[in-house]
Amino acid sequence: MSDTATLSPPAPVSGGRIRPRLLTHRGVVQASALLFDTRLLPLTAARGRVLAMWVPGATVYRLDEGLLLRLPAALRVVCAVAPGLPLTREGSLLTAAPLTPEERKRLPLQEGILLVRNGEAVIIPLSDSVREDPADWLDLTAWQSVDVVSLGTPPAPPVIVAEAAPFDARTKLHGVPPASPQSAAVAKGLQDALKAEREGRTSSAEKRGEATAFPMPAMMRQMLERLAHLGEGPAGGGGQRGTGGSGADSAPPRPTLTVQPQTEAERLNPFTRWLKHTAARTLLMTGLARQVGQRQAEYLGRMMEMFEKGELDAALRHAIPLGGDSDQPAAPALSVPHARENLHISSGSSSSRMGLGNELLTDLKTLYRRAFEQLERAGRIEEAAFVLAELLHQSAEAVAFLERHNKLQLAAEIAESRKLSPGLIVRQWLLAGNRERAILIARRHHAFGAAVELLQRSHPEQAAEMRFLWAEANAESGDYAAAVDLLWQNPHTRERTLPWIVQALAFGGIPAARMLVRQLELMPEDAELHARILALLEDEEPEHAPERKEFAEILCTAEVTPRLAAFARAALRTMLRDSQTAPHLFDRDLLRRLQNYGADAALRADLPTLPADSARSPFSQREEPLRLEWEAHDTGAMPVYDAAFLSNGRTLVALGEAGVRLLTRDGRTAAHFNQPAHRLVVADGGQRAIAIAPRGELLRLAKLDLTALRATHWCEASIQTFTPDYDGSLWFVATATDFLAIDATSDRFQALWRTPELTGAPVQITRNILDCSLLLRQPQLEQGLLGLPALSETWWKWHFALPSLVMRDRQEVHLKPDLRFAFTRAIAPSGEMAELAVRPGEQTDEMVTPLPLLNLRTNGSHPFEMNFPGDYQPMQSVYIGLWLAVPYRDQAGVYVSLFSCARGDHSAAFTLKGAQTVSVRLTSTHLTLADDRGRVIVLDLATGSLLRDLRLH
């Protein structure tokens, strides 16, 4: 490219000459462009300064005076040390000198720059013909890539704790012999045969032609015929033989066995009972041989004979597990005491004939249960437990059996390895004396409550201990109010909650309002506490109305005293006032309960008529979208990378390497944490947070205690994506290979749960108290046009139920609308998907006309459509099911559209002029926006009111 360019001469200002008093700007200005004069600088140096100041969205123009860098957003510049000549925006012009109001009125309506030459203002027009691409300045012919290796020790992957250790019943339980070498093969054949029978298919043994295996002896067939005649009555109806065909060419029938009711002689004849049982066993093994083969049938026959003879050591060695409760028959299928109407061999199908699976499993179950009883009587407890857990697959019964015999460690190991209910697992580990493991599992599955309920029935002292451990776990995760409520039920433990009450009051918000009542019950004469309560009730800010309502709700549950009754009367007056300023919180039943609690006849007589229930529609049902706009000059002094609105009304903001600030309601700094943060992960209650800053391929993590106002460095970790919130204990993250639940209360980077082998690169994780979903993208090559390889993408979603951490869905995403280009995809905690895309233009012979239509679809509601006037760049959408926030940008700024999924329409539109980045945090109650121009905005999704509009300086 040539270093010179021919430009049109500058044009004088229309309407008369302008002679600015100053030739350039002075002091500090908001520069929209910088001019690098090539008459003073070498061209190479000017290009170097342009590249140093380059930001995405900037444009460069080549002028006679030099290189002009026009910025996408105004930049605060000190003129004395600026790298180039600063230009500020005056209407459509960029001016190099300050102008008076009269001079501004005379400026022409054209795009260009205004410079001062020889004391007179001249305008140089800007057009695409003088634009330059800085990429053309870079000569990469000699550039070579070099692989580098970090000199530091890479961070270790997260330590996986609380995973169930493998439990081999034969090695763990004393006295159980090792398995026979043939047992595994026989078990596999039997499982295949049972599966084939359930599905109505032919087994592999029958396909191999082994149908003649285990033939029935002729003598046994004659005995069966004699037994059939024993049950025939006068009508002779019981001795008919089934027919399976006619003629010599008929296929040999498959025999079935039916049994007539026993006569009195048969009940007293042991030989008859033995004969029937032997015949049934022979028929069973004959059918089994057809399906699994002769050797397997012979193995099972010998094994069952060992159990019948009481040779338990050998029987346990050859025993085969039943395969789970799902394979258990509903009722015994073949047993000597349960007689049938007749006994004959039928050659056709019979409605009374039962399948091979039910017959065999019933026989095995009977033998195993008898062996268990014999082992228990002999005092061979662990061997008896083996029969229950391994052979009968009655794991819960085995756990209870071991507990009765004080084998508590084994009971806990079996409960965990067999994945019984989390509450039962926690109970068993606590009884076994391993409190640490009990707490880890209880925190992983939120199973404290279930464990307390199970312990309360049999071990009330341990139940009280578990309840206190539950309270401590809540306090450790920052939920002090929940910790207090757990111990408040017992009057003897209320005094122990006072430190937690103090912590909850220090944090503020709705939990603090609840704790005011608790502290009032403990300290009814505390004057300072009385003053704080009255200050809350007398406050008239609608934003504090939820706190006042919470105070009134909890007050009505406390034991009535004269002091509390007086506060109830004051709370009643407050609720009547709030019903006008915050009608969406009006509760008629609460007013009646306060009236009864206060028991003041005079107040009851003076009480006005209760207001009608509020007819105000919620913000989600708003007919016209709320539109809010901020001008480019309305900014703060420093960029905000992320922000979170807390439950106590304060706002937490991430300022990059400048740290984290905690802001009061009016925007003042309540605390500053010297921990770098570009992203924030905030606990549901708002008492804890994690600050995240990028460090190359790693992330630096720091913990923030927003109650004690303390911050500590945590660790560095390799994480691909993560949830923006957590429950105070478990934080869900995804690495390149694993999906993990990180223990946020631990000093180490350790996981309480893991799902390995992801089906693609993790893109987004979302959660709430009931669900957690992971969105994955899997690039792949496929055959394109002309047989050439083409890159495509497969999207997957994984959905888990909380707190059980059970996977409910794992499937390929089929959001493929008829659109040319998909912008972004987002996933809700419930697993619903949203896709943002642009429709193609209408192509004609002459041109392609773009349709400025953004199309947004979800698989849980109707499509949304919005008309846009220009070209936009997408940003990551946020979808929580009820609400969907879609950010996008152009050169003028950033835009955020909010959709109500309940109504299926546009609810709000935010325009942040001059911004290029924005963080979007969406909860069920609030939308929080923060941009790189220092603006922090919080919208109340219940009322549509703007709660915060702050600027960071």
Side-chain angles (χ1 to χ4, degrees):
M1 171 176 281
S2 172
D3 287 347
T4 61
T6 302
L7 303 176
S8 59
V13 177
S14 61
R17 295 180 177 180
I18 295 178
R19 294 182 178 273
R21 291 180 297 173
L22 297 176
L23 302 181
T24 60
H25 291 290
R26 295 182 180 179
V28 180
V29 297
Q30 293 289 336
S32 296
L34 292 169
L35 178 64
F36 302 92
D37 197 336
T38 54
R39 296 171 298 181
L40 302 176
L41 288 172
L43 180 61
T44 304
R47 288 176 172 176
R49 294 192 183 188
V50 169
L51 294 176
M53 298 290 295
W54 175 268
V55 292
T59 54
V60 179
Y61 297 87
R62 180 72 176 277
L63 308 176
D64 284 342
E65 285 76 8
L67 298 177
L68 178 73
L69 173 65
R70 187 167 67 177
L71 301 170
L75 179 67
R76 189 180 178 90
V77 172
V78 179
C79 296
V81 295
L85 178 64
L87 289 86
T88 61
R89 181 169 293 280
E90 296 286 352
S92 60
L93 287 176
L94 299 172
T95 66
L99 303 175
T100 63
E102 293 76 12
E103 292 169 342
R104 292 192 186 98
K105 295 178 181 178
R106 297 164 54 190
L107 293 177
L109 297 177
Q110 69 180 84
E111 187 175 3
I113 64 172
L114 185 149
L115 302 177
V116 180
R117 287 184 178 176
N118 300 323
E120 184 176 336
V122 296
I123 294 178
I124 300 175
L126 297 179
S127 64
D128 290 340
S129 62
V130 294
R131 286 185 60 173
E132 282 204 14
D133 186 357
D136 296 335
W137 304 343
L138 305 177
D139 183 7
L140 303 179
T141 56
W143 181 83
Q144 293 181 349
S145 63
V146 177
D147 294 333
V148 297
V149 178
S150 174
L151 299 178
T153 303
V159 180
I160 311 299
V161 298
E163 280 194 326
F167 185 87
D168 186 353
R170 288 189 178 272
T171 58
K172 284 278 189 177
L173 297 174
H174 177 72
V176 179
S180 168
Q182 296 85 12
S183 61
V186 175
K188 178 66 168 57
L190 183 59
Q191 291 173 1
D192 293 343
L194 295 177
K195 183 178 180 181
E197 181 179 290
R198 284 194 299 267
E199 298 176 359
R201 297 184 287 104
T202 302
S203 67
S204 58
E206 290 178 302
K207 290 179 180 178
R208 292 194 302 267
E210 299 182 14
T212 58
F214 229 94
M216 180 180 292
M219 183 180 67
M220 181 62 66
R221 192 177 299 274
Q222 294 174 3
M223 288 183 178
L224 288 173
E225 292 176 355
R226 290 183 57 191
L227 284 172
H229 288 291
L230 289 177
E232 292 182 355
Q240 296 179 359
R241 301 187 182 187
T243 59
S246 61
D249 295 334
S250 299
R254 182 175 181 177
T256 59
L257 179 66
T258 57
V259 182
Q260 233 185 357
Q262 294 174 320
T263 64
E264 187 66 23
E266 286 178 289
R267 295 191 186 97
L268 300 177
N269 190 341
F271 174 74
T272 303
R273 291 199 301 271
W274 172 85
L275 185 60
K276 286 184 178 182
H277 182 73
T278 304
R281 176 67 55 78
T282 302
L283 288 174
L284 180 60
M285 291 304 167
T286 301
L288 186 63
R290 287 191 176 95
Q291 297 198 30
V292 302
Q294 183 173 353
R295 291 185 178 178
Q296 287 86 347
E298 291 175 351
Y299 181 95
L300 283 171
R302 290 195 304 270
M303 183 264 290
M304 296 172 76
E305 187 177 358
M306 293 174 189
F307 274 104
E308 289 177 337
K309 292 181 177 180
E311 300 172 358
L312 295 183
D313 290 334
L316 293 180
R317 186 170 185 268
H318 290 79
I320 296 174
L322 291 183
D325 294 338
S326 61
D327 292 330
Q328 301 301 316
L334 181 61
S335 179
V336 174
H338 297 276
R340 303 187 183 184
E341 293 182 357
N342 52 44
L343 181 65
H344 66 268
I345 299 175
S346 173
S347 58
S349 62
S350 171
S351 60
S352 61
R353 182 176 62 87
M354 303 196 71
L356 168 67
N358 277 348
E359 295 179 22
L360 178 60
L361 291 175
T362 300
D363 249 4
L364 289 175
K365 181 178 180 180
T366 302
L367 292 174
Y368 291 164
R369 180 62 65 174
R370 190 182 303 155
F372 161 73
E373 295 169 355
Q374 293 174 357
L375 290 168
E376 182 183 17
R377 287 194 298 268
R380 299 163 66 174
I381 302 304
E382 296 188 22
E383 293 167 271
F386 170 82
V387 174
L388 284 176
E390 189 71 12
L391 302 185
L392 287 168
H393 271 266
Q394 299 295 328
S395 302
E397 184 181 355
V399 169
F401 174 74
L402 287 170
E403 182 184 331
R404 287 200 306 271
H405 293 278
N406 205 31
K407 305 282 186 178
L408 302 178
Q409 177 74 18
L410 287 173
E413 291 179 6
I414 291 178
E416 185 175 359
S417 64
R418 296 300 171 87
K419 298 182 180 180
L420 300 183
S421 67
L424 179 61
I425 297 172
V426 174
R427 174 187 185 275
Q428 296 308 137
W429 279 119
L430 189 69
L431 294 180
N434 194 334
R435 291 178 49 179
E436 292 74 13
R437 190 160 192 84
I439 294 173
L440 285 176
I441 297 172
R443 288 181 49 240
R444 180 174 65 186
H445 295 287
H446 290 262
F448 284 100
V452 169
E453 184 67 23
L454 291 173
L455 286 166
Q456 191 67 46
R457 305 170 188 172
S458 56
H459 300 78
E461 294 183 1
Q462 284 82 354
E465 179 187 5
M466 177 55 67
R467 183 178 292 277
F468 186 75
L469 294 175
W470 186 6
E472 283 188 326
N474 281 331
E476 190 177 7
S477 63
D479 197 349
Y480 298 106
V484 172
D485 290 340
L486 283 171
L487 300 187
W488 203 258
Q489 302 174 14
N490 186 352
H492 301 291
T493 59
R494 290 183 177 182
E495 292 289 341
R496 303 171 68 177
T497 66
L498 188 57
W500 296 338
I501 293 177
V502 173
Q503 293 281 3
L505 292 174
F507 180 75
I510 292 178
R514 189 158 76 246
M515 292 302 100
L516 285 174
V517 179
R518 301 303 188 207
Q519 189 173 15
L520 187 62
E521 292 181 85
L522 287 177
M523 308 166 64
E525 303 302 326
D526 189 331
E528 184 178 349
L529 178 62
H530 297 170
R532 181 167 181 171
I533 294 174
L534 291 176
L536 173 65
L537 296 178
E538 293 171 359
D539 180 77
E540 298 183 4
E541 287 291 332
E543 187 180 334
H544 297 162
E547 300 173 28
R548 295 189 287 269
K549 182 180 180 182
E550 181 72 10
F551 174 83
E553 289 274 8
I554 302 302
L555 184 63
C556 290
T557 65
E559 183 180 352
V560 179
T561 65
R563 176 71 66 181
L564 269 63
F567 281 114
R569 293 190 288 272
L572 176 59
R573 298 185 184 95
T574 298
M575 293 296 100
L576 288 171
R577 184 197 66 210
D578 285 347
S579 66
Q580 304 300 317
T581 58
H584 63 288
L585 296 177
F586 174 72
D587 188 339
R588 182 184 298 272
D589 179 66
L590 176 59
L591 291 176
R592 292 195 178 95
R593 284 186 284 132
L594 285 171
Q595 179 180 338
N596 296 332
Y597 192 94
D600 190 320
L603 177 62
R604 186 178 295 108
D606 295 338
L607 193 67
T609 302
L610 294 180
D613 293 341
S614 173
R616 179 178 177 180
S617 60
F619 175 65
S620 60
Q621 301 297 325
R622 183 185 179 97
E623 293 295 332
E624 293 294 328
L626 173 68
R627 300 187 182 277
L628 299 173
E629 184 175 310
W630 287 265
E631 296 296 333
H633 60 80
D634 183 11
T635 64
M638 55 197 316
V640 181
Y641 294 89
D642 198 1
F645 184 71
L646 306 180
S647 60
N648 62 356
R650 292 184 172 184
T651 308
L652 192 68
V653 295
L655 305 177
E657 300 302 320
V660 182
R661 285 189 193 176
L662 183 62
L663 306 178
T664 61
R665 298 174 187 267
D666 55 1
R668 293 178 291 108
T669 300
H672 181 270
F673 304 101
N674 190 23
Q675 297 290 339
H678 291 75
R679 295 283 301 277
L680 296 170
V681 179
V682 182
D684 293 339
Q687 298 92 343
R688 299 283 191 272
I690 302 170
I692 302 176
R695 292 295 182 264
E697 297 180 353
L698 304 178
L699 295 180
R700 182 186 189 275
L701 309 179
K703 292 183 179 181
L704 308 180
D705 185 337
L706 304 181
T707 302
L709 303 181
R710 181 174 60 247
T712 56
H713 173 250
W714 187 8
C715 62
E716 279 74 31
S718 177
I719 300 175
Q720 301 293 320
T721 187
F722 48 85
T723 56
D725 47 35
Y726 68 116
D727 63 3
S729 177
L730 295 184
W731 176 36
F732 292 98
V733 308
T735 66
T737 58
D738 295 340
F739 184 34
L740 304 156
I742 300 297
D743 183 2
T745 64
S746 173
D747 294 333
R748 300 186 303 163
F749 192 63
Q750 64 183 27
L752 298 182
W753 171 85
R754 175 184 64 169
T755 294
E757 300 178 1
L758 301 182
T759 54
V763 174
Q764 189 181 32
I765 312 174
T766 55
R767 61 160 289 274
N768 54 29
I769 60 174
L770 298 177
D771 301 281
C772 182
S773 291
L774 169 66
L775 180 62
L776 301 158
R777 181 176 59 225
Q778 183 181 31
Q780 57 188 7
L781 289 175
E782 61 182 20
Q783 187 174 359
L785 296 176
L786 303 177
L788 298 176
L791 183 64
S792 65
E793 292 180 340
T794 299
W795 292 74
W796 292 84
K797 71 172 182 179
W798 290 13
H799 173 224
F800 296 83
L802 299 181
S804 62
L805 294 170
V806 174
M807 179 179 284
R808 298 300 187 193
D809 191 16
R810 175 179 175 177
Q811 64 174 332
E812 184 178 352
V813 177
H814 294 291
L815 272 177
K816 296 181 179 179
D818 185 16
L819 302 170
R820 181 175 61 182
F821 179 71
F823 272 171
T824 60
R825 287 185 173 96
I827 191 168
S830 62
E832 288 186 357
M833 298 289 302
E835 182 178 71
L836 179 67
V838 171
R839 288 183 177 177
E842 295 179 349
Q843 186 169 2
T844 64
D845 294 337
E846 294 81 13
M847 61 181 298
V848 175
T849 304
L851 291 176
L853 184 67
L854 180 143
N855 183 272
L856 192 151
R857 298 174 48 155
T858 72
N859 63 352
S861 63
H862 296 291
F864 302 106
E865 290 189 350
M866 295 173 51
N867 290 306
F868 289 130
D871 184 19
Y872 293 90
Q873 297 178 2
M875 305 171 77
Q876 180 61 56
S877 302
V878 181
Y879 185 30
I880 63 169
L882 295 175
W883 297 96
L884 174 65
V886 181
Y888 45 96
R889 69 185 179 195
D890 63 5
Q891 291 187 357
V894 170
Y895 313 86
V896 179
S897 293
L898 181 67
F899 297 89
S900 168
C901 298
R903 183 166 169 260
D905 204 355
H906 197 190
S907 294
F910 303 86
T911 301
L912 302 169
K913 292 185 177 180
Q916 285 300 297
T917 62
V918 65
S919 74
V920 180
R921 186 175 295 269
L922 186 59
T923 69
S924 60
T925 56
H926 297 93
L927 170 67
T928 305
L929 306 177
D931 66 9
D932 56 344
R933 304 303 303 277
R935 293 175 283 215
V936 178
I937 297 141
V938 180
L939 181 74
D940 188 336
L941 297 180
T943 63
S945 58
L946 197 63
L947 295 182
R948 299 290 180 272
D949 188 6
L950 307 176
R951 305 293 179 272
L952 269 292
H953 296 283

